[in-house]
Amino acid sequence: MRTDSRLIQMFVAVADTLSFTRAAETLHVAQPWLSSQIRKLETQLGFELFIRDSRNVALTAQGNALLQSARTVMHSLNDFHLCASMLRRQEEQPLLRMGLPPYSHLFAERVALLDRFARLLPKIRIETVVGWSPELVEKVANGSLDLAFTVGDVIDPALEYQTIARAPCSLYCRSDDALAKHDVVRSGDLKGRTVLAFERALNPPLHDQLFNAAAQAGATLRVDHEMMSDLWLQHILDGDMLGLTFIRKPPAYLLDRMSMRPFADVDDVRLRLARRRSALPPAGEQCWRIAQDALS
């Protein structure tokens, strides 16, 4: 025997109110019709669900025993309809899952490109995930992201890349530091100095690109968890330490206390857009082509 879910909904409504009149109002149906539908359900089940008299309605023992199962059915139906509604919205508004590295907003090209995606593809909903580049590359490779911007040479053979922007490496120091007088700083100039660095595990290729030359020249690397933030700049000022990074510029209020000098022994850091070599969802393919057109 299969029971119509609508009848189960009516049973729960009457059980919740213990009133056919109030349940009918809740369900927006006529009370006599609701009563007849409950009788129909009782006939199908083979026992009565309610004890009725002229003034009161109460659950029978069988009705009370069945109520929790009926509620479970209603919760499952609600979940079903919610899921169907979400899938319908996704069909109506395609989803693009995009990965963004921390601080990638400092690349004007990345900001402009993401804005271009949204402007040229207004029907696509862009969902962004922030993470370090190796994590984003892994998510693109396994399909949990469609596209990702990456910083540094994080390579996966399953992916293809296009370079979006390049940023030179700079050295940050106090304005009264001897290095502030150099037109260009080289790795040999950092011997015996302390350079603030992020943890290598976060992005090994980028870490090696930025800091290997300094370390090989005799600099000491010290992990700073506030890398590229204003607090990181303050650590440089307060601790007589140095910073090596890209794209970041000191805020105006620190310009008289801090100097930024080109660092010669590090190649430009690349911001790239990555995708799987296999077929992408249409939204991903469209964004990939938009990026190609913008670069050309």
Side-chain angles (χ1 to χ4, degrees):
M1 177 191 66
R2 292 184 179 180
T3 303
D4 188 337
S5 63
R6 178 72 171 165
L7 294 177
I8 298 175
Q9 181 187 20
M10 294 176 190
F11 164 53
V12 172
V14 177
D16 284 344
T17 60
L18 292 179
S19 166
F20 281 86
T21 300
R22 289 196 298 273
E25 292 172 355
T26 300
L27 296 170
H28 304 291
V29 298
Q31 187 269 327
W33 184 80
L34 175 60
S35 296
S36 69
Q37 293 302 299
I38 293 296
R39 289 292 188 193
K40 177 182 177 181
L41 176 58
E42 289 174 328
T43 299
Q44 290 180 0
L45 296 173
F47 51 80
E48 290 188 344
L49 297 169
F50 298 100
I51 302 169
R52 308 164 177 83
D53 61 31
S54 59
R55 293 187 177 182
N56 298 306
V57 175
L59 283 162
T60 63
Q62 295 94 329
N64 190 60
L66 196 63
L67 181 57
Q68 186 55 49
S69 294
R71 291 192 194 282
T72 300
V73 170
M74 296 313 301
H75 287 314
S76 297
L77 282 171
N78 289 337
D79 290 344
F80 173 83
H81 291 305
L82 182 63
C83 182
S85 177
M86 181 183 68
L87 292 172
R88 183 169 59 251
R89 287 196 302 271
Q90 288 179 358
E91 286 295 319
E92 296 168 354
Q93 186 180 28
L95 174 66
L96 175 71
R97 300 161 302 174
M98 170 75 69
L100 304 177
Y103 316 119
S104 65
H105 64 281
L106 296 174
F107 284 93
E109 296 87 347
R110 199 281 284 160
V111 174
L113 194 54
L114 200 58
D115 178 69
R116 188 178 179 89
F117 293 159
R119 186 162 36 85
L120 296 182
L121 302 170
K123 293 184 178 180
I124 292 177
R125 179 168 62 90
I126 300 176
E127 181 180 282
T128 59
V129 173
V130 176
W132 286 86
S133 295
E135 174 190 2
L136 298 179
V137 163
E138 182 179 347
K139 288 183 176 181
V140 173
N142 67 28
S144 56
L145 288 176
D146 300 312
L147 299 171
F149 290 97
T150 66
V151 175
D153 294 334
V154 184
I155 303 297
D156 186 308
L159 306 185
E160 62 177 314
Y161 303 82
Q162 49 181 314
T163 298
I164 304 300
R166 297 174 182 270
C169 180
S170 298
L171 178 128
Y172 292 74
C173 63
R174 289 167 36 157
S175 57
D176 59 358
D177 193 295
L179 293 174
K181 298 177 181 179
H182 291 219
D183 291 332
V184 176
V185 177
R186 299 188 177 278
S187 55
D189 300 325
L190 305 186
K191 183 177 180 180
R193 301 296 303 271
T194 298
V195 177
L196 298 180
F198 59 85
E199 292 184 58
R200 186 176 184 275
L202 296 174
N203 189 332
L206 180 60
H207 183 281
D208 294 348
Q209 179 180 354
L210 290 176
F211 304 116
N212 271 5
Q216 290 168 4
T220 299
L221 301 184
R222 178 179 296 179
V223 172
D224 190 319
H225 299 290
E226 309 300 336
M227 186 74 176
M228 288 183 73
S229 69
D230 285 1
L231 185 55
W232 168 72
L233 296 175
Q234 197 63 51
H235 291 168
I236 295 172
L237 292 174
D238 294 343
D240 192 29
M241 291 178 280
L242 306 174
L244 282 176
T245 190
F246 56 97
I247 211 71
R248 179 74 161 89
K249 289 181 170 55
Y253 73 93
L254 289 180
L255 287 177
D256 61 334
R257 301 176 58 200
M258 176 165 283
S259 291
M260 182 174 68
R261 291 291 180 264
F263 190 66
D265 296 338
V266 174
D267 293 334
D268 288 354
V269 175
R270 292 192 293 178
L271 174 76
R272 297 185 296 176
L273 185 63
R275 74 166 200 171
R276 292 183 302 283
R277 294 186 183 277
S278 55
L280 279 177
E285 290 285 357
Q286 289 175 296
C287 288
W288 183 262
R289 288 197 299 270
I290 288 172
Q292 288 179 318
D293 292 343
L295 293 171
S296 64

